[in-house]
Amino acid sequence: WLSDTIWKILYRTEAQIGGPFKTLMESFTNAEKEAYWKKLYNHATPQDLLVPDSDLAATIPEEYRQITDLQRLMLLRALRPDKIVPAVTQYIKNDPKLGENFTDPPIFNLEEIYRESPDPWTPMIFVLSPGADPNTELNMLADKEGKLTNFKKL
């Protein structure tokens, strides 16, 4: 039920990390424990089931009930790499030293950025993510400031 790639990652996790993962391969081949791993693997949000207070908490194999949050991420990365981004995001949000400031993008207020600009000759440089397009906001601000005719984009 697991691909060869996932088996190899699980094996490397057991071999290279050890500690709580020293019997990982055995756990996946144990008939009693295998049911939990299959549910976890097939679940839409497996990152929610790895935590001790989840719906499947009673079925988490004993040796994995007390692992740290970081170790849970390592296990999720081995089993379901497609779910690691939302899991890491949640990990950072829940961390008291980091929190949402490190996961939520700041609110983009072009007018405020323009007002804070030291002089009109300082260029504004935008680093955009795919799909982001500030052209509408730029044009509206230039029009509001009466500078649309002098507005240049590179």
Side-chain angles (χ1 to χ4, degrees):
W1 57 275
L2 289 173
S3 71
D4 287 342
T5 302
I6 298 293
W7 277 113
K8 288 175 186 173
I9 294 170
L10 290 170
Y11 175 77
R12 279 198 318 262
T13 302
E14 178 183 289
Q16 293 176 355
I17 297 170
F21 303 119
K22 66 182 176 231
T23 59
L24 189 59
M25 299 300 289
E26 180 184 320
S27 182
F28 272 83
T29 56
N30 178 301
E32 291 176 17
K33 298 173 183 179
E34 185 181 30
Y36 169 77
W37 296 122
K38 279 185 178 179
K39 283 181 187 175
L40 184 69
Y41 181 79
N42 292 318
H43 199 275
T45 57
Q47 65 274 18
D48 298 337
L49 300 181
L50 271 173
V51 293
D53 59 347
S54 73
D55 294 340
L56 287 179
T59 62
I60 295 174
E62 183 66 35
E63 61 270 30
Y64 300 103
R65 289 185 188 167
Q66 300 301 319
I67 61 176
T68 67
D69 290 339
L70 187 58
Q71 290 167 332
R72 281 186 189 87
L73 288 174
M74 294 163 77
L75 188 54
L76 182 66
R77 168 63 181 87
L79 189 60
R80 288 289 302 272
D82 60 313
K83 298 297 181 180
I84 196 66
V85 171
V88 168
T89 301
Q90 195 60 43
Y91 174 80
I92 293 169
K93 281 184 178 182
N94 292 342
D95 187 283
K97 293 179 183 174
L98 298 174
E100 291 183 8
N101 290 339
F102 288 87
T103 60
D104 297 338
I107 297 172
F108 179 73
N109 184 333
L110 187 57
E111 192 168 342
E112 185 178 319
I113 292 169
Y114 176 74
R115 298 269 179 255
E116 290 177 4
S117 180
D119 62 65
W121 304 109
T122 302
M124 288 188 192
I125 299 173
F126 298 94
V127 179
L128 305 175
S129 58
D133 184 8
N135 279 317
T136 303
E137 289 182 66
L138 285 167
N139 288 333
M140 287 173 48
L141 180 61
D143 189 39
K144 182 178 177 180
E145 296 294 321
K147 300 182 184 202
L148 191 56
T149 56
N150 297 332
F151 182 57
K152 303 286 187 244
K153 293 182 269 186
L154 302 177

